[in-house]
Amino acid sequence: MEQEHKRRVRYKGTHPRNYQEKYKELNPEKYQEDVEKILRSGKTPAGMHRSIMVQEILDFLDIQPGQTGLDATLGYGGHTRKMLEQLQGRGHLYATDVDPIESEKTQARLAALGYGPEILTIRRMNFADLDQVAPGVPFDFVLADLGVSSMQIDNPERGFTFKHDGPLDLRLDPTAGVPAAQRLRELDREEMAAMLVENSDEPYADQIAKTITAIFKKGGAIETTRQLADAVEQALSFLPPKERKEGVKKACQRTFQALRIDVNSEFEVLYAFLEKLPTVLKPGGKAAILTFHSGEDRLVKQSFRQLQREGIYRDAAKEVIRPSAEECFQNPRARSTKLRWAIKA
């Protein structure tokens, strides 16, 4: 029997809206020309992540062949790859990530480039446990990029964005903890408002918390990203029409950020990381941290300055380093980035 001919799936238009339809972007190895075109336009292809401030980080770390280092936030592996190149086949790089979905893809991607277990060890664990990554092995350098990867943001199934509807999850490790939809139901009005203020300085925290808790009291549900965005829009209905669209967009960004931080205990994790960081560094060892919002940056700045005063760090960044205007144009997601560094005494 003659097999029925099936036409291949067509790339719908020049800008497909559906994440699954972006098969060219999701397969950069097969469609390099298309991916490069998207990158040149200042956008990040779906399923990819553009590493931020790579040269500034490499300039500070000054990695030498034979050294041992830690990339505490593996992600897409962009920083990891550049650090491995600096090692020139000598030394060792450890890397950690809690995301079982993306870390597996990144490990395969780096292995295909020739970076196997002889020079790279990837552990699926939280970077708060950096003292357990390689017990007894001090590091010459440590990097932590605290941003959420573009692959996580772009995939609506992960629930990190309100631009596309998807389950309200927001967990970096979807196999652990509770999803954001469940966490919202666990909070009362006062706790929710406090979370929004503490985690994202949300000016409309009271109105948003009041609206969300009222929805639950009436038997309503907030199970998807769109439902949460609609609740925020409803809470801000008092804004003048001219200000409403932009006001709702920014409030949604802050609300999702605050909820993500809460669901993943990000501040607690960062605090534990900063406390243990000097214990894993060699004398003269260097630490570089990329932050993406004021709460993170405050914690890093306070830790570095306090430990410098105590003589644990011999030097620390007095001012943040920001990405260049050119990088921000090429990669708009870099705009809020701040780089801080410290050197062990």
Side-chain angles (χ1 to χ4, degrees):
M1 185 179 173
E2 191 177 334
Q3 194 171 4
E4 185 184 348
H5 174 69
K6 288 185 179 179
R7 293 186 64 180
R8 69 175 179 85
V9 179
R10 290 190 62 83
Y11 204 48
K12 292 188 179 179
T14 53
H15 301 92
R17 293 181 176 275
N18 189 292
Y19 179 77
Q20 281 76 19
E21 287 171 0
K22 299 183 180 186
Y23 67 85
K24 289 188 179 181
E25 296 177 44
L26 292 167
N27 292 277
E29 297 82 7
K30 284 180 70 177
Y31 300 97
Q32 194 62 41
E33 208 174 291
D34 297 271
V35 168
E36 285 172 4
K37 187 177 177 182
I38 292 165
L39 289 169
R40 283 196 301 273
S41 73
K43 295 178 181 176
T44 302
M48 282 187 74
H49 180 79
R50 301 179 76 172
S51 298
I52 296 171
M53 298 183 74
V54 175
Q55 195 54 53
E56 291 88 340
I57 289 166
L58 293 178
D59 287 345
F60 166 67
L61 294 179
D62 189 27
I63 298 167
Q64 300 299 313
Q67 288 187 332
T68 302
L70 169 66
D71 185 345
T73 46
L74 173 69
Y76 193 77
H79 288 123
T80 319
R81 179 179 176 181
K82 292 297 180 182
M83 290 190 286
L84 285 164
E85 287 174 5
Q86 300 296 304
L87 290 176
Q88 297 177 23
R90 289 181 284 146
H92 203 86
L93 185 65
Y94 292 84
T96 62
D97 203 307
V98 295
D99 189 329
I101 299 165
E102 294 301 334
S103 60
E104 195 174 306
K105 293 179 187 175
T106 299
Q107 185 158 13
R109 200 181 300 115
L110 291 170
L113 293 170
Y115 299 118
E118 71 288 342
I119 195 164
L120 174 65
T121 299
I122 296 173
R123 302 205 189 285
R124 190 162 81 77
M125 59 193 292
N126 198 299
F127 77 156
D129 300 319
L130 75 166
D131 55 333
Q132 300 301 313
V133 174
V137 178
F139 298 122
D140 293 287
F141 60 91
V142 173
L143 170 67
D145 174 352
L146 304 183
V148 177
S149 295
S150 298
M151 311 88 67
Q152 294 159 331
I153 294 170
D154 291 339
N155 186 349
E157 292 171 13
R158 302 296 301 272
F160 283 93
T161 178
F162 53 92
K163 291 180 181 177
H164 304 284
D165 203 18
L168 187 60
D169 194 311
L170 287 169
R171 287 174 294 174
L172 295 169
D173 179 357
T175 67
V178 299
Q182 182 179 331
R183 181 64 181 141
L184 267 186
R185 290 193 298 272
E186 294 172 353
L187 298 169
D188 63 29
R189 180 176 164 181
E190 284 186 4
E191 290 169 334
M192 197 179 298
M195 175 197 73
L196 290 166
V197 171
E198 288 168 18
N199 293 357
S200 63
D201 302 316
E202 174 53 59
Y204 304 117
D206 289 332
Q207 293 93 329
I208 293 169
K210 181 182 177 182
T211 300
I212 290 173
T213 50
I215 289 170
F216 291 147
K217 281 179 184 175
K218 291 175 184 174
I222 299 180
E223 298 290 337
T224 70
T225 55
R226 192 64 253 166
Q227 285 175 328
L228 178 56
D230 288 344
V232 172
E233 186 172 2
Q234 185 184 325
L236 270 60
S237 59
F238 64 89
L239 289 177
K242 286 184 179 179
E243 299 173 20
R244 196 174 300 154
K245 185 177 179 182
E246 188 63 19
V248 167
K249 178 186 172 184
K250 288 183 177 176
C252 280
Q253 290 170 341
R254 290 188 295 263
T255 299
F256 273 72
Q257 173 187 301
L259 194 51
R260 189 202 78 224
I261 289 169
D262 182 85
V263 164
N264 296 290
S265 303
E266 290 181 30
F267 286 149
E268 293 86 347
V269 165
L270 178 56
Y271 186 82
F273 171 80
L274 291 168
E275 198 173 47
K276 295 173 183 177
L277 179 56
T279 70
V280 304
L281 286 169
K282 287 180 182 177
K286 298 178 176 182
I289 302 180
L290 289 177
T291 66
F292 292 81
H293 57 79
S294 58
E296 287 177 342
D297 184 58
R298 264 194 308 272
L299 274 178
V300 175
K301 178 173 69 174
Q302 289 166 0
S303 174
F304 281 179
R305 287 186 178 175
Q306 178 61 35
L307 294 176
Q308 186 183 9
R309 281 195 292 269
E310 293 175 14
I312 294 170
Y313 290 128
R314 76 161 191 244
D315 198 7
K318 291 171 181 62
E319 300 292 336
V320 294
I321 302 168
R322 305 297 297 262
S324 66
E326 183 184 0
E327 179 169 9
C328 290
F329 172 75
Q330 292 174 346
N331 181 10
R333 289 176 180 173
R335 285 177 189 148
S336 60
T337 315
K338 294 176 181 177
L339 170 63
R340 289 190 185 272
W341 55 263
I343 302 173
K344 177 89 176 281

